[in-house]
Amino acid sequence: MAFKNIKTSINNGIMIITISRQERLNALNFETLGELNKVIKELYNDISIMGAIITGEGEKAFVAGADITEISKLNEMNGRKSAETGQEIFQMIENCPKLIIAAVNGYALGGGCELAMACHLRVMSENAKFGQPEINLGIIPGYGGTQRLPWLVGKGKALELMLTADMVNANDAKEMGWANYITSQENLIPKCLEILNKIITKPAISVGLIIDCVNTAFHKQEDGFQTEANAFAACISTGDFKEGTAAFIEKRVPVFKGK
Ligand code: COA
């Protein structure tokens, strides 16, 4: 399948999925999310594919978030729909019985951090950083970040990161359990392939069941995702959200009023 914003290749049973909007730091616009949905369905359905890597084009960004120019135009109703759609696609990634590794080659911010966290493992290049800076835009993470970040790094650290919008470098990311490995930019895909090649020789049914059992342990609070989508939609109707996104687009510092 050919796409506008995503490149795919399949070699020796491993699919490499590259988000390719380099001029926007691979930000996820709705079109790209739609394409990702189709690619992940192909990964599920094609029995010749045993595992996948998701990465971003270039050496600067994995994915720098949802596309702010698009989300700045949302209203409360389609804001909720947009969060639910992103959550569904990322849940499909998380629940895939085939191993999916995020090769985090640069900034993984907002929706990019959430995409990496929906993958089963994360390998980071030395220059990569992750963060959930949505608060600076007057919104909150809406593609599962409020749920998956605490699962990975613990409640206290997750709250701190979402409330401060601070970015975390690769060394700290590994130390706090967000990243499985750090490696050089050149070795990023080879390292992911090394891990995948080890795991795809294991019995596929066991691989899928281990992923499913571990996911089940974390999905006791399933309605946390609904709470997140509702809260994301509520932010969209605030003046602070309009101010936050406008300030990003106009390249100025936002002035928030708390309403
Ligand atoms: N949505 C839309 N466009 C984005 C984007 C996003 N999430 N992230 C970056 N871009 C665009 C920039 O507007 C810029 O476009 P321009 O060349 O037309 O001005 C281009 O990508 C390059 O980004 P720039 O900001 O100039 O790069 P930088 O090196 O100065 O900063 C970041 C890099 C990642 C720190 C910065 O781009 C950033 O903060 N991005 C937004 C992160 C974010 O808030 N994500 C959560 C969204 S919900």
Side-chain angles (χ1 to χ4, degrees):
M1 255 185 269
F3 296 107
K4 189 168 154 209
N5 304 315
I6 293 185
K7 293 181 184 147
T8 59
S9 65
I10 302 167
N11 276 310
N12 301 321
I14 294 175
M15 183 182 221
I16 301 187
I17 302 163
T18 307
I19 313 290
S20 303
R21 292 184 79 222
Q22 233 179 311
E23 71 294 347
R24 296 272 125 201
L25 302 188
N26 304 322
L28 294 175
N29 58 359
F30 300 132
E31 187 180 45
T32 308
L33 271 178
E35 292 181 358
L36 187 60
N37 186 22
K38 289 189 184 138
V39 172
I40 301 300
K41 285 190 173 138
E42 186 187 339
L43 172 61
Y44 268 74
N45 295 334
D46 187 334
I47 53 166
S48 73
I49 309 175
M50 291 175 287
I53 295 170
I54 302 183
T55 193
E57 183 96 59
E59 298 195 348
K60 186 167 175 183
F62 171 70
V63 167
D67 191 305
I68 298 171
T69 49
E70 269 189 5
I71 61 165
S72 68
K73 298 180 190 120
L74 290 175
N75 59 36
E76 186 170 347
M77 206 170 72
N78 56 24
R80 180 179 290 104
K81 179 79 196 126
S82 130
E84 286 169 351
T85 304
Q87 286 182 358
E88 268 167 36
I89 298 168
F90 289 8
Q91 271 160 20
M92 196 164 58
I93 292 173
E94 181 172 64
N95 293 328
C96 184
K98 304 175 184 183
L99 187 76
I100 306 179
I101 302 182
V104 183
N105 54 307
Y107 290 115
L109 301 176
C113 179
E114 293 170 303
L115 173 60
M117 294 193 297
C119 295
H120 303 121
L121 307 178
R122 282 149 296 284
V123 181
M124 272 175 112
S125 61
E126 286 149 346
N127 66 310
K129 289 186 173 157
F130 85 82
Q132 297 281 175
E134 288 87 345
I135 196 164
N136 288 344
L137 300 170
I139 41 170
I140 65 165
Y143 295 164
T146 63
Q147 308 301 296
R148 293 193 181 95
L149 190 57
W151 295 347
L152 280 176
V153 306
K155 182 178 172 185
K157 203 70 206 170
L159 275 171
E160 180 190 336
L161 292 175
M162 284 186 272
L163 294 171
T164 59
D166 284 350
M167 286 190 218
V168 180
N169 67 31
N171 282 328
D172 291 344
K174 176 147 183 294
E175 200 166 306
M176 63 178 74
W178 192 91
N180 294 76
Y181 294 97
I182 311 171
T183 186
S184 62
Q185 187 75 245
E186 306 74 62
N187 195 43
L188 187 61
I189 298 297
K191 180 69 194 173
C192 295
L193 289 173
E194 181 195 315
I195 300 168
L196 270 161
N197 280 321
K198 186 192 252 185
I199 293 173
I200 63 177
T201 63
K202 311 283 186 204
I205 292 176
S206 300
V207 170
L209 289 176
I210 288 172
I211 291 171
D212 189 39
C213 290
V214 173
N215 283 343
T216 304
F218 286 90
H219 274 269
K220 285 181 193 130
Q221 320 120 344
E222 192 82 55
D223 69 346
F225 285 100
Q226 194 53 52
T227 307
E228 182 189 85
N230 291 341
F232 180 86
C235 289
I236 299 283
S237 59
T238 66
D240 279 350
F241 165 67
K242 298 203 172 43
E243 168 64 7
T245 48
F248 178 83
I249 292 163
E250 291 158 18
K251 300 186 191 295
R252 60 174 175 81
V253 178
V255 182
F256 293 123
K257 301 209 165 100
K259 52 185 179 181

